[in-house]
Structure formats: C-alpha cells, structure tokens
Amino acid sequence: MNRRQLMLTAGALGLVGTPALAAGADPDAARDAWFYALPLIEMATTRARVLKTPGAAINRLNHGRVLSDHTFRAVTTPNNDTLYSIAFLDLSQGPATLTVPATGARYWSAAVMDMFTNNNAVLGLRTVGGEGGTFTLVGPGQAARGPNPVRIATPHAWLLIRTLVADAADLPAAHKVQDGFVLTAPKAAAPPAYAARDADPAAYFAAARQLLAAEPAPASDLRILRRTSAFLGAGPFDADQAKAGADRAQLITKFALGRQSFVQGWAYPRANLGDYGQDYIYRAIVALAGLGALPVAEAMYMKAAGDNGAGLFTGDGLYRLSLPAQLPLDGFWSLAMYEATADGQYFFTDNPLNRYAIGDRTAGLKREADGSLNLWIGRADPGGERSANWLPAPKAGPFALYLRTYLPKPELLDGRFRFKAVEKV
C-alpha cells in the first residue's frame, strides 16, 4: 500500500477527508470485511473474558465494587472515576427488565450497546434524571410488553452501567446505589467461543460469519455486505486473499492509531462516536482502542498528542497540563494515565501513589491564585508543592494521556472551547 492509499484510508478516519470505502480488488473486499467484523469480534472476545470472572453469567448484572486499577485488564482504557456494573445480555428468549434506583444528583449512566458497538440507548442522569425507573430491554422482532421499552438492534447486547464515586469515603454510598440496579431476564445458555482478533484470517472470517448469523446486520449495511460477501457470506473463500486483506487492514489500523488528527495538542472525538452508522473503519478503530465508548453528548474523550504528535509520550522528563478554573461541563472531568501495549490498547500503570487519574474530585490539589490548575505528569515525583498535582507515568515505556469530560456543554461539543496542549517543562 503506497502513501497515497494510506492517506485516503486516513481520510476515512476523519484525518484528511471522508472518501467511501474502496471497491474493486478482492484484497480490498477482504480488508473491508476485516474492519466490518472487528467490533463483533472484540465484543465477543470481551464477553468471553468477562464471563470467566467469578459469579459472571449471561443476563446477570455483576457489580464492580472497587475502582479500576492497574490489575484491571478486561476492557481497554478503563476509567478510574466510576464503578462499573456489567451484564452481557441474551434477549433471544425474551425482553429483560432493568430497574434503576433513585440516584439524586449523583452521575450515573446505563449504556446498552448492540454487538456492533453502537449505543442503542444511554439511560442516565442526562436523559432520565435521578428519580429512577423501570425499563424494558427489547430485542429485535419482540413485542414491547413492559414499561419504558428500549429497542436493541441485535439479539445479544452489552449493558454497561457507570456510577460516579467522589472518593474512598463515598464508596459505601456508591455501593448502595449500585445495589439498586436490578436486572431480570430469561435464563439463557452461555455463548459459544469465537476466534479473536489475532487468529489466522481463516479462523477470523469463520468467526465473523458465525457472529453475523447470531447478530443479523441492519438493512442499511446491505451494500458493504454484498461487497464483502466472499468473506462474510456463505461458501469458501480464497485464503491468500483473506490473508492479504487482513494484513492490509492491520497495517491501516496501526497507521490510523499513530496518525490521529490533533487540534492544539488533543485528538477530539468525532460527532458519531458511539453510534457509527456506516463509518465502519472508525467503528473498528474505537472497538480496538476504546471499546464501550459513550456518545459525545454523554462524554468526550480527548487523547493528548504526545511527544511526536502521534498520541504517545516516551520522555523521562516532566510534563504539564494547565486547566482553567472552570471547564464547560455539567458533569465531571479526569485526566487518566495509561501504559500503551504493542497492539494499541491502554491500561492503567502501577505507581507509588496508586493514582491512576487526576480529576475534579481528587483531594488536596493545589490551585493557582486565579483558580486554575497545573497538573504535573512524569515518571518521577516532581517534589515540593507539585507533588500534590502529580500524575505518575510508567517507570519505563510509552504512555498515553486521556482527558475525560462528562456531560460537556455546547462550547466544548462544537469546538469553541479548546484545551491547552500538554507541554514538556
């Protein structure tokens, strides 16, 4: 693939433009089939990983009782602000019922994602309020016989509930709120195992076909499914073409992860984050690097450009992020530190403070006279008053910084407000 082709593909990611997926040679069809199927593969892989945890089962809501730390590796780019309550759903035997407690002013959200990673609904403080309620999660083709029906596009789905925690002393109260979330659903069998992203192309496409049989695609995807039918449809496929297409897709993925579009030092999410329509490549990239992302109306995730403008920091020195006294939010914010893996995923890193993020609820932060904040980022303690505002980086290796802003106001959503870049001191 030459540089012009890579730039055209970058355009599909919103980097230089937005051309349609290329039609033509079989390797292109195999490439696009790989991208199309990746969210299904990642969802199935994550489901299998989650279901291995003690007490987990299909249609059972499991409450995480502690904030994520460096040992949590089930989902890439976790947050350290909210407790997670997770259930993978099988709605093929009938609807499920989700009871939501009264939460008051505490932030909460219950995202229901189909197996293509689209947020079919985000129930939460923004959309529902803090009074609680009962909701009926309805699969395709089912009658909505229950209160407040929520339509899910695929028979299987992921319910991901986030409950905000102010600090360690707030955990008991947060647990009480979690206990009020109750899921009832018909008994369902455990799903079969599927090949993962790193499987050989023959196994990958075989798994993709199985998943598409279990999770029928929407009619609006018919065009790409016809184009890629040699790999995602029935019948044998050419193994060499499958490998060539998978190789090209993985090359594009690496290129895209290293060539995001940054504005004043930050990569801002696209407007269709979390509900992708026909933006299949963007959907695939997010499934790899930020599975379970919320729509921008609920939260905006910004990634810092890093040392070379490609999203990673490698230096051993000290960095600074300056934030104004007031941010354009109706919710909360946090700056999270992640160690980067070779395959483009991100996890919290072990550190002497057990501090994985700094946010508006972090105790003891030192503000400037005008109320602004200087956050200090580095592998070593900066010392003095700066220590209070230190976000520890990994002892070695590349790292990434993500800034989360929940319930953004219009000026952040439309770009009138921009954050300052992380600068090396």
Side-chain angles (χ1 to χ4, degrees):
M1 180 176 293
N2 60 37
R3 180 169 179 79
R4 180 176 180 276
Q5 289 172 312
L6 285 173
M7 291 305 293
L8 287 173
T9 302
L13 290 162
L15 304 178
V16 296
T18 54
L21 289 169
D26 283 342
D28 289 341
R31 177 201 67 190
D32 295 343
W34 192 93
F35 278 123
Y36 184 86
L38 185 61
L40 289 166
I41 296 287
E42 289 297 298
M43 285 284 274
T45 300
T46 300
R47 178 176 61 187
R49 189 184 302 128
V50 168
L51 291 179
K52 290 179 180 177
T53 60
I58 286 290
N59 289 345
R60 180 183 298 169
L61 187 61
N62 271 22
H63 300 301
R65 297 304 201 179
V66 296
L67 294 174
S68 299
D69 61 14
H70 64 283
T71 65
F72 180 80
R73 301 270 162 157
V75 181
T76 184
T77 57
N79 78 55
N80 188 246
D81 308 298
T82 68
L83 298 175
Y84 288 111
S85 300
I86 294 176
F88 277 93
L89 307 176
D90 182 346
L91 303 174
S92 63
Q93 304 304 309
T97 300
L98 176 66
T99 301
V100 175
T103 60
R106 182 187 298 270
Y107 175 87
W108 69 279
S109 64
V112 191
M113 289 163 280
D114 63 33
M115 289 296 284
F116 292 92
T117 70
N118 293 301
N119 284 267
N120 293 172
V122 180
L123 312 171
L125 192 62
R126 175 180 64 90
T127 56
V128 171
E131 294 79 22
T134 301
F135 302 86
T136 307
L137 310 181
V138 185
Q142 296 174 354
R145 298 191 183 98
N148 300 315
V150 178
R151 289 282 179 185
I152 312 303
T154 53
H156 300 84
W158 185 14
L159 171 62
L160 182 56
I161 301 174
R162 297 168 171 92
T163 303
L164 182 64
V165 178
D167 52 30
D170 185 44
L171 273 172
H175 291 163
K176 186 176 180 181
V177 171
Q178 278 189 301
D179 291 338
F181 289 100
V182 178
L183 178 71
T184 57
K187 187 176 181 180
Y194 297 96
R197 165 174 31 99
D198 57 359
D200 67 81
Y204 180 95
F205 287 121
R209 289 179 173 189
Q210 293 171 322
L211 284 163
L212 281 168
E215 321 293 342
S220 54
D221 288 353
L222 187 56
R223 181 179 180 183
I224 191 171
L225 290 172
R226 285 172 172 164
R227 280 198 53 244
T228 59
S229 61
F231 302 95
L232 298 180
F237 56 80
D238 186 287
D240 290 338
Q241 290 179 357
K243 185 178 186 309
D247 288 346
R248 294 184 75 196
Q250 292 173 41
L251 175 62
I252 291 167
T253 299
K254 291 179 181 179
F255 176 83
L257 290 171
R259 292 294 184 272
Q260 292 172 284
S261 179
F262 293 92
V263 178
Q264 297 176 25
W266 293 94
Y268 289 83
R270 296 174 65 166
N272 61 336
L273 178 68
D275 192 7
Y276 305 95
Q278 282 66 57
D279 201 345
Y280 307 118
I281 298 182
Y282 184 51
R283 185 179 72 180
I285 296 298
V286 175
L288 174 62
L291 187 70
L294 289 163
V296 293
E298 192 70 22
M300 289 182 67
Y301 314 100
M302 280 70 67
K303 184 180 183 182
D307 294 317
N308 61 357
L312 289 178
F313 294 85
T314 57
D316 295 330
L318 190 63
Y319 300 84
R320 176 176 60 199
L321 173 61
S322 298
L323 296 174
Q326 295 293 328
L327 295 179
L329 307 172
D330 288 323
F332 60 96
W333 65 269
S334 68
L335 178 71
M337 166 68 66
Y338 298 100
E339 58 185 50
T341 66
D343 60 353
Q345 297 198 310
Y346 302 96
F347 301 102
F348 290 133
T349 189
D350 194 11
N351 68 85
L353 298 184
N354 293 323
R355 176 181 281 179
Y356 308 101
I358 285 181
D360 59 323
R361 289 140 293 117
T362 301
L365 291 181
K366 303 294 185 182
R367 290 185 175 267
E368 303 300 310
D370 61 357
S372 62
L373 269 175
N374 286 318
L375 303 181
W376 303 98
I377 301 121
R379 304 186 196 276
D381 187 335
E385 289 196 352
R386 292 179 175 182
S387 294
N389 295 9
W390 176 39
L391 181 60
K395 294 178 181 178
F399 61 91
L401 292 170
Y402 278 81
L403 182 61
R404 287 179 169 83
T405 56
Y406 282 77
L407 307 184
K409 290 184 176 181
E411 55 266 42
L412 179 53
L413 285 166
D414 64 22
R416 283 175 287 158
F417 175 87
R418 296 295 190 188
F419 288 94
K420 291 183 178 179
V422 177
E423 57 182 345
K424 195 163 189 177
V425 180

